[in-house]
Amino acid sequence: MRLSDTARDFLDTHAIAHLATAGSDGAPHVVPLCYARVGEALYFVADDKPKRHGPRRLQRLANIAANPRVALVVDDYDDAWQRLAYLLLHADAAVVDDDAEYGLALAALRRRYAPYRAMSLARLTHPMVRMQPRRWHLWHMVPSA
């Protein structure tokens, strides 16, 4: 599944997405996150921002282990509604086990987010997740004629 150039540009020019996961019980869990696109895949890392139980025990990771189907929303809100827009991605998520892929994704995240450059993020302590889109929908207000 390929993203359009417009969808890629939308992802690349936004900094925050909202990730929706669900565990085996079906309970939804939505969190904001930083992401990077490498080709058609998107990545996020369990980083060093403060967490209740540490990066390896995040609810989103437990949910992905139980149910790898996720949704990601990147959006624009403006009181001038003609500027509303969003991109919804449905994806299959998996923890990255390959050192080379981890390094490539981490480099992309560090290019996008300066705080990641100061964090010592290693594969064994900070899981990286790949989200491979299955389908997507980009919506924006169409100017009236």
Side-chain angles (χ1 to χ4, degrees):
M1 198 273 343
R2 293 198 40 91
L3 298 166
S4 70
D5 290 341
T6 305
R8 279 190 215 89
D9 289 343
F10 197 84
L11 287 166
D12 294 346
T13 58
H14 288 74
I16 299 298
H18 290 84
L19 174 70
T21 62
S24 57
D25 64 356
H29 181 72
V30 179
V31 294
L33 57 77
C34 298
Y35 65 92
R37 184 181 63 80
V38 178
E40 301 299 314
L42 288 99
Y43 294 87
F44 72 86
V45 67
D47 58 38
D48 283 335
K49 288 188 296 293
K51 294 163 181 51
R52 239 183 317 177
H53 302 292
R56 296 196 63 79
R57 294 182 53 208
L58 294 173
Q59 184 65 50
R60 70 196 85 153
L61 296 176
N63 286 354
I64 288 167
N67 176 5
R69 298 180 75 173
V70 303
L72 192 77
V73 173
V74 179
D75 66 310
D76 287 331
Y77 177 81
D78 196 294
D79 284 338
W81 282 13
Q82 67 272 17
R83 291 194 287 261
L84 297 176
Y86 73 86
L87 175 63
L88 169 62
L89 293 164
H90 292 269
D92 295 314
V95 173
V96 173
D97 291 325
D98 179 76
D99 287 336
E101 183 181 7
Y102 189 98
L104 187 67
L106 184 57
L109 284 162
R110 285 182 167 155
R111 279 192 300 275
R112 281 179 56 89
Y113 304 100
Y116 281 157
R117 296 174 201 147
M119 290 183 192
S120 176
L121 301 167
R123 188 174 66 77
L124 295 178
T125 56
H126 296 82
M128 177 81 65
V129 173
R130 174 191 341 97
M131 296 172 287
Q132 191 65 50
R134 286 184 285 109
R135 66 181 194 269
W136 58 273
H137 176 74
L138 178 62
W139 178 90
H140 56 87
M141 293 289 288
V142 178
S144 51

